[in-house]
Amino acid sequence: MTANPKDSKIPSLEVVLAWKSGGLEEKMKKKIYIAYTGGTIGMMPSKQGYIPDPEFGKKMIEKIPELKDPTMPHYEMVDYDPLLDSSNMSPRDWKKIADDIQARYDDYDGFIVLHGTDTMAYTASALSFMLRGLRKPVILTGSQIPLCEVRSDARENMVTSFQIIADHPVHEVCLYFNNSLFRGCRSVKVNANGFDAFASPNFPRLGTVGIDFKIHIDRDSLFKHKEQNVPLEVHNLEGPRVGVLRLFPGINGEFVKNALINLEGIVLEAYGVGNGPDKNRDFLQALKEANDRNVVIVACSQCLRGNVNLGGYASGSALAEVGVISGYDMTTEAATCKLFYLLNLGLPIQEVKSMMRTNLRGELTIPPKKTN
Ligand code: ASP
């Protein structure tokens, strides 16, 4: 039997020559696709304050020459048109990013989405649901000070995102900022001014970066989750009428009723473990009427940490009685995007409610003791 040269452990002449000339390393280098969607990282000053710079792609490499270091992966970068302050992001823009990733999925080892910090946690959550079956790293990052400024935090966020993709391939949508790698659908913007702009209050960080990288690729075994055993599929979140309502002392039934008109789903930011004003009959009536119209009402907590337990107090049980369901420890950002995602699937409402309480992308922890 003749041996197949492909099975041979002896490197071919071509491989040896490529290795000697440094070409092999070059060939084996990872490739990163960078989408600059807008945001402070690539902004420049204007009379009205910072605005995105359409030339950012070209300027970035002058400002971060480290990205051309021979140890760094290759990259290609595209400046979106229009570039957005992330306050303007909508589900349509999320779809554009997701489609862009899907179109280039086979050609790159990882994806960096440069994004404004204001709604970065929403986009990270949205992409987690939209990119079903993702097996490559998608890292959202940006900065609090634009790269054009001397004290910018952009350089570190970019260089480290490159290195995470090169050496620690996480298989999910993440957010990297200020030495921390977060699961995208667990992240929240917590600081408007500091470099530590993000946190993941209800889930451990996927990684921390100091002198060494400590990246937990298999944290919570998301990669092994059965949802991941499918080819990459992009889901659209455009369409469903979804809202968010934060309770406050003095909230009245009429206001809630008006807020719920025309909605298909709402995240109710309730107090503490999921409590609301159970003595306010108009308030409860407004929720009940909406639930009877098949509006999905999901309670998240106004607290950053901890989980909803609607059975904990009479003021929470009253919400459950009118049809409110628990969002457990989901962030408002994740719960909102999940509502967009599930309502878009066109499932029967009971199934939407049941999937809201199911962990789909690592976005929630079901408490061991069954709560509402
Ligand atoms: N307003 C900016 C944005 O979200 C803030 C930032 O990028 O930090 O686009």
Side-chain angles (χ1 to χ4, degrees):
M1 213 169 73
T2 18
N4 181 345
K6 279 192 187 153
D7 297 337
S8 165
K9 297 240 167 62
I10 303 166
S12 70
L13 184 60
E14 189 194 330
V15 168
V16 172
L17 289 177
W19 180 72
K20 283 200 163 162
S21 65
L24 187 60
E25 270 179 29
E26 216 20 54
K27 273 188 192 165
M28 287 168 64
K29 264 190 177 191
K30 296 223 168 132
K31 281 167 72 189
I32 297 178
Y33 175 72
I34 307 174
Y36 176 50
T37 66
T40 296
I41 188 165
M43 286 195 182
M44 57 185 182
S46 81
K47 278 188 191 144
Q48 291 77 38
Y50 286 124
I51 50 164
D53 178 354
E55 305 272 275
F56 178 59
K58 278 187 230 144
K59 294 180 187 164
M60 189 185 73
I61 194 63
E62 289 160 29
K63 292 278 183 186
I64 322 183
E66 295 90 330
L67 299 181
K68 279 276 177 233
D69 188 272
T71 61
M72 288 298 232
H74 290 299
Y75 75 90
E76 188 202 338
M77 177 161 169
V78 168
D79 296 305
Y80 277 19
D81 182 16
L83 290 166
L84 296 178
D85 181 299
S86 76
S87 321
N88 291 302
M89 283 274 166
S90 70
R92 178 175 302 182
D93 302 297
W94 299 337
K95 179 75 167 46
K96 181 172 164 185
I97 300 168
D99 284 343
D100 197 15
I101 292 171
Q102 189 185 38
R104 300 163 197 265
Y105 192 65
D106 294 333
D107 302 331
Y108 293 88
D109 299 288
F111 301 83
I112 295 178
V113 179
L114 297 180
H115 196 286
T117 59
D118 288 345
T119 65
M120 194 186 288
Y122 279 95
T123 302
S125 298
L127 291 176
S128 304
F129 293 108
M130 296 171 85
L131 298 171
R132 184 168 174 223
L134 182 73
R135 286 168 179 274
K136 294 186 177 182
V138 172
I139 300 182
L140 284 94
T141 192
S143 67
Q144 290 281 60
I145 300 182
L147 183 59
C148 65
E149 304 287 357
V150 174
R151 283 182 59 245
S152 177
D153 49 332
R155 189 167 293 102
E156 196 288 316
N157 289 343
M158 279 298 288
V159 169
T160 306
S161 295
F162 261 59
Q163 291 186 329
I164 292 171
I165 292 179
D167 302 324
H168 308 273
V170 272
H171 312 281
E172 54 180 293
V173 177
C174 311
L175 189 156
Y176 178 76
F177 219 89
N178 190 44
N179 301 321
S180 290
L181 185 70
F182 304 104
R183 172 163 293 165
C185 55
R186 291 289 196 157
S187 60
V188 197
K189 183 170 179 181
V190 290
N191 192 336
N193 310 112
F195 289 139
D196 53 345
F198 291 91
S200 171
N202 280 328
F203 192 74
R205 284 175 283 191
L206 295 178
T208 47
V209 178
I211 291 178
D212 299 313
F213 282 69
K214 295 203 170 85
I215 308 287
H216 311 284
I217 296 175
D218 276 334
R219 175 149 275 160
D220 204 25
S221 300
L222 190 65
F223 183 50
K224 295 185 195 101
H225 195 272
K226 63 176 170 13
E227 278 276 306
Q228 303 293 315
N229 292 329
V230 291
L232 183 73
E233 241 175 53
V234 168
H235 287 261
N236 190 3
L237 303 198
E238 287 170 275
R241 296 183 303 276
V242 168
V244 177
L245 180 66
R246 186 177 172 93
L247 299 189
F248 57 91
I251 192 166
N252 80 38
E254 196 58 23
F255 172 78
V256 176
K257 196 173 170 172
N258 287 333
L260 287 162
I261 288 175
N262 280 329
L263 287 186
E264 293 166 75
I266 190 159
V267 176
L268 196 67
E269 286 195 337
Y271 305 124
V273 291
N275 304 317
D278 62 325
K279 302 280 183 251
N280 183 337
R281 300 178 108 232
D282 292 346
F283 165 75
L284 291 178
Q285 184 58 25
L287 294 179
K288 183 176 180 314
E289 282 171 19
N291 180 61
D292 292 346
R293 294 195 308 270
N294 276 340
V295 179
V296 181
I297 311 171
V298 186
C300 286
S301 178
Q302 294 186 6
C303 302
L304 268 180
R305 286 199 188 82
N307 64 278
V308 165
N309 172 10
L310 293 176
Y313 292 86
S315 53
S317 298
L319 298 186
E321 270 160 37
V322 294
V324 176
I325 60 168
S326 172
Y328 297 115
D329 63 348
M330 268 189 290
T331 61
T332 295
E333 289 84 339
T336 308
C337 296
K338 193 170 176 182
L339 271 176
F340 274 121
Y341 169 64
L342 293 176
L343 289 167
N344 219 311
L345 292 177
L347 304 167
I349 234 54
Q350 280 317 320
E351 208 168 319
V352 171
K353 288 185 176 176
S354 144
M355 285 175 82
M356 269 321 283
R357 289 175 288 187
T358 308
N359 183 18
L360 302 179
R361 305 282 194 274
E363 75 282 6
L364 64 78
T365 322
I366 314 258
K369 193 170 126 299
K370 197 174 175 326
T371 53
N372 285 311

